[in-house]
Amino acid sequence: MQTHEIRERFIAHFVKAGHVEVPSAPLILDDPNLLFVNAGMVPFKPYFLGQQNPPFASGTATSIQKCVRTLDIEEVGITTRHNTFFQMAGNFSFGQYFKEGAITHAWNLLTGSVADGGFGMDPDRLWVTVYLDDDEAADIWEKKIGLPKERIQRLGMADNYWSMGIPGPCGPCSEIYYDRGPEYGADGGPEADDNRYMEIWNLVFMQNERGEGIGKDNFEILGPLPKKNIDTGLGIERVACLLQGVENVYETDLLRPVIDVAEQLTGATYGAKHADDIRFRVIADHSRTAMMLILDGVTPGNEGRGYILRRLLRRIIRSARLLGATGETMERFIATIMDTMTPSYPEIADSRGRILDTAVTEEKAFLRTLESGTHLFERAAESVRSSGAKTLAGDQAFALHDTYGFPIDLTMEMAAEAGLEVDRAGFDALMAEQRDRAKADSRAKKHGHADLSVYREFVDEHPTVFVGYDNLKAEGRVLGLLQGGATVTRAAEGTDVEVILDITPMYAEAGGQLGDRGAITLGDTRLRVNDVQKIGKKLWVHKATVENGEIGVGEQALASVDEGWRHAARQAHSGTHLIHAALRQVLGPNAVQAGSMNKPGYLRFDFNSARALTPEQLTEIETITNQAVDADWAVNTFETSLDEAKAMGALALFGENYGDRVRVVEIGGPFSMELCGGTHVAHSSQIGPVSVLGEASVGSGVRRIEAYSGLDSFRYLSRERALVEGLATSLKAPSDELPDRIAQLTEKLKAAEKEIAALHRRQLAAATADYLKQARQVGDFTLLTARLPEGTAGGDLRTVATDLKNRIGAEPAVIVLATADDRGKVPFLVAATGGAVERGVRAGDLIRVFGGPVGGRGGGKPDMAQGSGSDASGIDAGFRAVEDDLRNR
């Protein structure tokens, strides 16, 4: 049974049982605790926590959620059931059926005949576990389902009590296992061998809320949830493994084709060597995860989600190289996994070019890293050999990995080829320290669910009615007041307060548009509204300051939007849509929005691209945008179904979880059509001129365009005109001749700088002969010490030292140069000729000898080292210290 059919059978089973099918949420959600969605229940958390009522009339739902877990990346391929990306099929009940319903639904699907829509599994091969004291679940399995008591095992909290690992919903669970047979391990059920007995479905009886704590069984149970709920998770990949009769999840129909391609590209054979098999599995697993992350808007970077994606892609490249690949492989891997996954995720087809471009660009960059890392390794290896050692130190291997991104596996492979070993224990110790720091930092940043309980009664019972699309003023009743996170009945003059109204014209921050500014008035009382935020997508919270009078719960108040603020904000937001459309015209459909921010008069637009825009492209984007302004197109907004909006070609923002009904903003027909809840102008001409300020990188693979709109654009252009007029006056040239005039002056300046530099070099060369006269014999060495003129640059020290070494030749000599600058700094340098190095002199050692008296430090290679100090009065003492060191050798 193919994976796509398994998905279809699961959904059909639960829809037939009255559940509402819910599409998978994106892998990225606005959750402070999660880099990625890591469980099927994550999109439903507000319903489990009681923060919102589920929008399903039946109170039940089913979904197949995209999930990513990356805590154990190094385990991928070693165990045969671990995927970083997986599809979690689940059924959910919010206060409807509980344990008996969940168990019955699961059993019927697993053991039901294939002809009737089930999976057709042999019931004699199924085992279950329950929580230690969950007699209710054990009785249902035995008495209702008829499972023999000996195939029901009780396990402790670490195994059979579920939570997300952070504060949130939790509860005991019952896990269903499939016995793969004695060839896979020992008898005795899941508690004896979880390789032979493969877990396929976890039924969570979610009834409690957990508090802070670390680990699976070290946390406090805060109390019961408002309702008893069901959350289940069936692993699609594991079921596919069993129903397709393959050894592991990497050999199923979705991943095996990538392994086949890897065999073609590397010349290695899957199944021949255990170490190679792990690498094949890493390639297959990570290719899928990387592809799905890019699909949902992640780009490679050095932090957070971007770092995870970069790490996955680099592990693919590393594994392919270790298998024997010599060229680029990413395009084939990613294209293959897109082919296998598109039937379940049709949106992949629309993003195929963008996904390939992102992955291939990262591969090219990493291959360059590998090339430079190889050179660094060769230098490090030569240093080890020249010292007579046979082991590359752990800190050197760690520096190659941490600073230059050079994988330890390649370091060890190349060391073996060079006849060296690597201090792997030292490397591992440094890696462990780094992981501990990262984990500590991660724990410090986690803060559980924001305490939304204070808003709970308002969210469920009194959602705010937003009337701000058509009105800038509206009367509403004060439903609630909050100060310092607690509800109050009144707020007095001078206090900051959060105001909850039943009706408001004020836009709450969303979709990149800042919240409105304005006022709330009642009688002589006036509140200045500084910001508007949204809670649970239902509740508008006005953050305000009571400027005079006081306000109380239950009173009628007039909310007024600052008209100037709204007008300029609408100009910027509509301008953002035009910039997006113009960008796609210039770069094509692969230029996908990665975020935006707009406020009165200003907008910025982030998009996925590995390359900077050319000046010509930026000018074209600005021109197309202003042509759209000049066209005076009507700006139409309407609501429709999500499917209908997508069919019309409306663009959606990555990471946004849309409902069944969406709002579409259309400007100029096909020119711009996006899903958007923001406020907009009525006609494109009302945006006013749009001035593009420029574009720049804001992270790996993400670029940002910034622009002014409306009056702010006009003011910017006025300033630019004044600047041009000033330059024209100063240079005595018409404005249209300024570029040529400035270019001429620039060329003259460059020529003058070259002349000065040549004169400076001649002066240094002339001075070198004088410095040679200062050389003297100290023991077996010639020592030359010289204080160069104040202000001599560090680079000049190196130039003089190199010239002196060339003049001295092979005789054992040491050169010490120092100077001082007008900031009180003391640049200094020590150089040793080849003859001195052969006699054991190391410039890096002597640099520390000189550095002490001048309060400085430095480093370098055996033949030349540089440093900087802070005490010019110690230069002569430094010279004497080096002389004493040489004399005592």
Side-chain angles (χ1 to χ4, degrees), residues 13 105-113 118-123 126 141 176-177 200-201 234 239 243:
H13 175 79
H105 281 310
W107 184 260
N108 290 343
L109 176 58
L110 292 176
T111 62
S113 70
F119 292 151
M121 289 186 176
D122 182 353
L126 296 177
W141 280 114
I176 305 174
Y177 292 78
I200 55 175
W201 206 336
L234 173 138
V239 172
L243 297 185

Side-chain angles (χ1 to χ4, degrees), residues 327-379:
E328 296 178 10
T329 59
M330 192 64 68
E331 184 171 3
R332 288 282 306 279
F333 292 153
I334 298 297
T336 301
I337 201 65
M338 284 195 290
D339 291 341
T340 68
M341 296 294 289
T342 297
S344 290
Y345 301 96
E347 61 270 26
I348 292 173
D350 297 331
S351 299
R352 191 179 183 94
R354 176 179 62 85
I355 293 169
L356 281 174
D357 185 57
T358 300
V360 169
T361 299
E362 181 67 14
E363 179 182 35
K364 291 179 185 295
F366 185 50
L367 288 176
R368 290 193 296 270
T369 294
L370 289 179
E371 183 177 352
S372 61
T374 299
H375 297 317
L376 291 165
F377 169 82
E378 288 171 350
R379 288 205 294 269

Side-chain angles (χ1 to χ4, degrees), residues 499-761:
V499 183
I500 298 172
L501 301 173
D502 62 345
I503 299 173
T504 184
M506 294 191 182
Y507 184 80
E509 181 175 346
Q513 180 177 334
L514 298 187
D516 277 332
R517 306 296 186 262
I520 296 174
T521 57
L522 53 157
D524 295 331
T525 297
R526 175 183 171 84
L527 287 77
R528 182 181 71 253
V529 177
N530 307 308
D531 190 15
V532 186
Q533 293 292 320
K534 198 183 299 185
I535 304 294
K537 297 189 176 182
K538 289 186 175 183
L539 199 70
W540 270 238
V541 177
H542 306 73
K543 298 189 175 185
T545 301
V546 184
E547 293 186 323
N548 58 273
E550 61 179 29
I551 187 172
V553 173
E555 295 177 340
Q556 289 290 122
L558 178 66
S560 305
V561 177
D562 182 324
E563 294 186 18
W565 173 280
R566 172 67 75 84
H567 173 66
R570 289 189 302 184
Q571 288 179 308
H573 200 156
S574 298
T576 303
H577 284 223
L578 298 188
I579 290 278
H580 189 189
L583 182 75
R584 290 172 66 84
Q585 277 197 25
V586 173
L587 297 186
N590 288 340
V592 177
Q593 181 175 352
S596 67
M597 191 280 279
N598 45 79
K599 62 181 181 179
Y602 168 85
L603 64 93
R604 69 183 189 216
F605 184 85
D606 296 346
F607 60 100
N608 293 324
S609 177
R611 289 172 288 277
L613 294 173
T614 65
E616 293 75 19
Q617 288 174 323
L618 207 58
T619 298
E620 187 177 1
I621 290 167
E622 185 178 52
T623 300
I624 293 171
T625 300
N626 282 289
Q627 286 172 343
V629 171
D630 187 60
D632 192 28
W633 284 322
V635 178
N636 300 311
T637 61
F638 56 91
E639 284 195 359
T640 185
S641 69
L642 179 59
D643 290 340
E644 174 111 6
K646 288 181 177 179
M648 295 168 61
L651 300 177
L653 180 65
F654 280 117
E656 185 68 31
N657 194 16
Y658 295 98
D660 291 335
R661 302 291 294 177
V662 294
R663 183 171 182 262
V664 179
V665 176
E666 173 202 68
I667 307 176
F671 180 77
S672 172
M673 187 180 298
E674 299 188 33
L675 304 187
C676 180
T679 62
H680 290 272
V681 298
H683 288 265
S684 62
S685 60
Q686 295 172 346
I687 296 170
V690 176
S691 299
V692 174
L693 307 180
E695 70 93 43
S697 171
V698 291
S700 178
V702 179
R703 312 290 301 181
R704 172 175 292 171
I705 291 177
E706 295 182 275
Y708 288 133
S709 61
L711 277 176
D712 285 88
S713 174
F714 172 76
R715 295 185 186 102
Y716 168 75
L717 294 172
S718 295
R719 290 194 300 272
E720 293 293 295
R721 182 179 63 190
L723 176 62
V724 169
E725 289 174 350
L727 283 171
T729 301
S730 298
L731 299 178
K732 297 181 174 58
S735 58
D736 58 350
E737 294 180 11
L738 281 178
D740 290 339
R741 180 70 173 138
I742 292 172
Q744 292 170 6
L745 291 174
T746 301
E747 286 303 315
K748 287 183 179 180
L749 180 60
K750 287 180 179 178
E753 288 174 343
K754 286 181 180 179
E755 242 182 86
I756 293 171
L759 176 62
H760 183 60
R761 286 194 297 271

Side-chain angles (χ1 to χ4, degrees), residues 371-424:
E371 183 177 352
S372 61
T374 299
H375 297 317
L376 291 165
F377 169 82
E378 288 171 350
R379 288 205 294 269
E382 178 57 34
S383 176
V384 171
R385 282 193 294 263
S386 65
S387 68
K390 291 291 185 182
T391 302
L392 185 72
D395 58 351
Q396 290 179 292
F398 181 75
L400 282 167
H401 162 82
D402 192 53
T403 306
Y404 303 103
F406 203 64
I408 184 62
D409 289 358
L410 285 181
T411 299
M412 295 183 70
E413 178 186 334
M414 292 170 64
E417 292 172 355
L420 300 175
E421 295 181 347
V422 176
D423 177 13
R424 185 59 191 263

Side-chain angles (χ1 to χ4, degrees), residues 181 216 236 256 319 438 455 470 652 658 723 754 800 833 885:
K216 294 183 176 182
I236 292 289
R256 179 63 204 225
S319 298
Y455 302 106
D470 303 310
Y658 295 98
L723 176 62
K754 286 181 180 179
V800 172
T833 63
D885 184 282

